[in-house]
Amino acid sequence: MDRRDFLRAAGSGALAAILQAVAGGWAKAAEAGFAGLPFARDPLPGACLLPLGDVQATLAAMLDTVVPGPATDPEGTAGALEACSMNILLDGSFPFRQYADLFAMALDGIAAEAHGGTFVELAYPQRLDVLMTAQEQLPMLRLAFKAVRSAFFGGAYNGVGLRYVGYPGPNLGWRHVPEASFRVAVCRERTDTGWMP
Amino acid sequence: METLDDIIVGSGFGGAIPALRLARTGRSILCLEQGERLTEKDFVQDWGFKAQSRLFVTYTSKDYHVLLRYGRGIGGGSLTYAAAMLRSPSEVFTWRDRDGYRVWPASVTRQAMDPYYAMVEQEMDVVRASWADVPRAGGILAKMLDRMGLTADRSMYPIHDCLQCGFCMCGCPFGRKKHLGMNYIPRAEAAGAEFRARCRVHHLEPDGGGWKVAYFDPWNVQRYARAQRVILAAGALETPGILLRSRPWIPDLHPQVGRNLNQNGDVAFLWRVPDDLAPTYPFMGRNNAGVITYAFWDEHRITIHPGAGPPALVAAMDVFSEKGEPAHPMGLSFKHYVRDHYATHLFPSLAIGLVDGEGTVTVDGNGVVQFDLPLTDRLKAYIDRVAGVGRQIAEANGAELLRTAGDNYEHGDAHPLATCRIGDDADRAPCTPDGELRGQSGVFVTDGASIPGGTGVNPAHTIAANAERIAAVLAGTNVASRPSARA
Ligand SMILES: Cc1cc2nc3c(=O)[nH]c(=O)nc-3n(C[C@H](O)[C@H](O)[C@H](O)COP(=O)(O)OP(=O)(O)OC[C@H]3O[C@@H](n4cnc5c(N)ncnc54)[C@H](O)[C@@H]3O)c2cc1C
Ligand code: SF4
């Protein structure tokens, strides 16, 4: 097995384990009767965990590539880190941490081979390239990236992503807003009942 | 040990309906439900992990390509579903799979189901959306079809006086969506049924002529309850899970339990509409956006319904543009694209259609449910057909279809079926047409697991009507006189 194969296998195994563990965490939460939810408490703005150490710096760079924040986005707007996505990775009650080393190692391996540096050393376009390669080699990575995106755009930990896209959030109903519906028939219907015979 | 006439596992459509019908015959009924008892006061407009994980259980396929989830609580999926309640077209009931096998029993036709659909509509007060109830996103899809000379039909819902807040899938906080906790369940309780929350069933054991049900109570203490009959309605993932965990006590379990997993032919995608159809405002209005199109049913056996939803529903999708931007669903261009288009130019849709169920549910060494949903050639060909239909609509309207490519397509995550299916063929179908598990007299399946194939439309109404149909048999039949189960 050459280094690339090793990294592939290590990355694949790690991600499998991570996602398994995440799913396991959900299942455990179900069984714990909701008392021990594995998710971080909703933090106040500014309470996102910060990366400490090399491995965490790699993970942070990964998050900042999937949904770039002020460090990468020339517009200076919030990204995955500001949406507290790091909390998912570092929360002690969330079973991800133990695989973080392997995950970072896989990214560094691809980064070194393709661009001659560690993942954090790379510029944004190269980091993006590494993640694209990584997800081609390990299709389950897509699911991890999906989780990061939905944490940001879904307001999983705080509302920065929701505000970013202009999502108005909780409301008392839009029914009286003129734009909420065309209110008149806009298409011919095939059935009288709503369902086919 | 507690002894009852019937124990029901799960309180969604498959569980709540038999509970009412059987309680009304005077039988003693206990329904064990792993989730909490939730009411409007518990529903918050919050798409965050914490709130969502209280409402849903989520599973990842073994290869991490697919997520499937179901709603939990007393009322099951009805608490948090989008509430489209549609009768399946006749062709669903005569559908034949790749081997030419007619998946529905010959006796269960649309005509035979109609009285049971009607019972559900009456109990749940299902009504047709008015055009004023159709959210803007639904109206836009209807307009696109109209421009092509095609049709779109307003859907049916147990929703009354909707405020169009856009949070149906968090549970309606305004009590406008009539979930099972507002009709079947209180009526069953009034007739003497007990619904016990936070009780998770682990397995079944045969016990004399009846069954022992092993479950964990809210304090995680393992308990047993005993009944003449057990009705499994824990959903298409957990019902086979319970049976597979029971194997040490039921060594002759039907080998097809857990097979034929069908995700209802769900394929999710996004539309980007041109300026003349903007804004989409996909956050305004009920999550199932008011209409469905049957325009592609005759040729492709596909229906499409638009959705309205939060940004996560849109941005979590692994979509890319076939025309350039966004080239991939991550990074700066994707972030900016979602910001610039979500509220004004994007809305999601779900195609549903008839395709063979080739997935499998298993349990691991710890008894935890696992599933596989391989991307077979048949499934791939079906997805390509859906994409072709989507592209046709987009091109005719100057819109764009944003979809996933190749092996990584976006399944819907909400409609697993068929893992313990009814059917005429004793080798292919674990359950008899009346829902009894072959070889295990007195065990019945009445939920999405029993539905033998795709429903062509959103499945809850067909699951409910089928549960009514089986409950009617159970309410009038003595188990001991059912030789079919011993086949
Ligand atoms: C977000 C979302 C939106 C949807 N929207 C629609 C829609 O608009 N229209 C439509 O037709 N369908 C919709 N569906 C699908 C619909 O909700 C399901 O098809 C339907 O609820 C399935 O009914 P069921 O009786 O099979 O199981 P469920 O309704 O899932 O009920 C199963 C119950 O069993 C409980 N349970 C599971 N395991 C155990 C155990 N071991 N012990 C005790 N209890 C257990 C669960 O907690 C749950 O309450 C939607 C689904 C989702 C997730
Ligand atoms: S959109 Fe209507 S049915 Fe859905 S949660 Fe809001 S008020 Fe309730």
Side-chain angles (χ1 to χ4, degrees), chain A residues 110-183:
Chain A
I110 297 171
E113 201 162 294
H115 301 285
T118 62
F119 187 70
V120 284
E121 286 165 2
L122 303 184
Y124 164 74
Q126 295 164 330
R127 277 191 272 136
L128 190 60
D129 182 55
V130 169
L131 295 192
M132 302 301 292
T133 309
Q135 76 170 8
E136 268 162 35
Q137 292 179 2
L138 312 168
M140 73 279 281
L141 251 177
R142 290 177 199 274
L143 203 58
F145 298 157
K146 189 186 265 240
V148 172
R149 288 200 304 276
S150 69
F152 176 79
F153 292 109
Y157 289 90
N158 61 31
V160 297
L162 297 177
R163 282 192 293 279
Y164 176 72
V165 291
Y167 176 65
N171 65 87
L172 293 174
W174 303 102
R175 117 173 123 170
H176 300 298
V177 174
E179 293 81 11
S181 168
F182 295 112
R183 290 171 215 280

Side-chain angles (χ1 to χ4, degrees), chain B residues 50-71:
Chain B
K50 195 170 166 183
Q52 293 286 298
S53 61
R54 184 184 189 199
L55 299 172
F56 294 100
V57 180
T58 307
Y59 297 86
T60 312
S61 63
K62 282 190 202 156
D63 65 0
Y64 307 106
H65 268 302
V66 190
L67 292 172
L68 285 174
R69 62 177 171 153
Y70 64 85

Side-chain angles (χ1 to χ4, degrees), chain B residues 285-485:
Chain B
R286 58 184 70 183
N287 294 151
N288 181 293
V291 296
I292 181 162
T293 179
Y294 300 112
F296 304 95
W297 180 253
D298 299 340
E299 193 183 343
H300 297 291
R301 298 283 181 257
I302 289 167
T303 60
I304 300 175
H305 68 77
L313 198 75
V314 169
M317 279 198 208
D318 240 326
V319 293
F320 75 105
S321 163
E322 290 173 344
K323 295 190 177 162
E325 281 296 303
H328 34 67
M330 70 168 99
L332 269 177
S333 67
F334 185 76
K335 179 187 169 194
H336 294 168
Y337 183 89
V338 175
R339 179 199 55 196
D340 296 343
H341 293 85
Y342 163 70
T344 53
H345 287 73
L346 294 179
F347 70 92
S349 282
L350 188 68
I352 296 177
L354 299 185
V355 62
D356 288 350
E358 298 180 86
T360 313
V361 170
T362 52
V363 290
D364 69 11
N366 297 317
V368 175
V369 165
Q370 314 269 313
F371 78 93
D372 246 339
L373 205 49
L375 186 59
T376 60
D377 289 345
R378 259 178 301 270
L379 191 50
K380 246 184 190 160
Y382 166 79
I383 295 160
D384 287 345
R385 253 186 5 252
V386 170
V389 166
R391 228 176 268 123
Q392 191 185 329
I393 299 173
E395 278 165 12
N397 286 280
E400 195 181 348
L401 181 73
L402 297 171
R403 60 172 293 241
T404 48
D407 288 357
N408 182 50
Y409 88 94
E410 279 289 341
H411 292 259
D413 62 0
H415 299 153
L417 298 168
T419 49
C420 208
R421 62 184 181 175
I422 56 170
D424 286 329
D425 185 328
D427 292 332
R428 293 172 198 253
C431 293
T432 67
D434 291 342
E436 195 162 16
L437 187 60
R438 289 189 157 99
Q440 314 303 332
S441 182
V443 177
F444 290 80
V445 180
T446 49
D447 57 8
S450 72
I451 300 300
T455 55
V457 294
N458 316 59
H461 200 7
T462 299
I463 296 170
N466 192 52
E468 281 281 14
R469 186 184 65 80
I470 297 174
V473 177
L474 292 176
T477 316
N478 179 344
V479 158
S481 69
R482 300 188 50 74
S484 63

Side-chain angles (χ1 to χ4, degrees), chain A residues 16-38:
Chain A
I18 286 158
L19 290 160
Q20 192 79 57
V22 169
W26 283 337
K28 253 185 249 144
E31 277 171 20
F34 321 114
L37 282 172

Side-chain angles (χ1 to χ4, degrees), chain A residues 16 30 34 66 68 73 75 77-78 124 142 146 149 167 171 174-175 180-181 189-192 194 196-197, chain B residues 36 45 47 64 72 90 110 128 134 136 153-154 161 164 294 298 315-316 329 331-332 335 339 408 410:
Chain A
F34 321 114
V66 177
D73 187 342
E75 295 178 3
T77 49
Y124 164 74
R142 290 177 199 274
K146 189 186 265 240
R149 288 200 304 276
Y167 176 65
N171 65 87
W174 303 102
R175 117 173 123 170
S181 168
E189 296 183 277
R190 179 169 175 175
T191 71
D192 294 333
M196 294 278 286
Chain B
E36 294 174 282
Q45 295 179 324
W47 302 107
Y64 307 106
R72 68 170 153 212
S90 314
R110 167 61 188 274
R128 196 169 194 191
V134 175
R136 195 176 172 87
D153 288 68
R154 286 166 295 133
D161 204 18
Q164 306 291 2
Y294 300 112
D298 299 340
L332 269 177
K335 179 187 169 194
R339 179 199 55 196
N408 182 50
E410 279 289 341

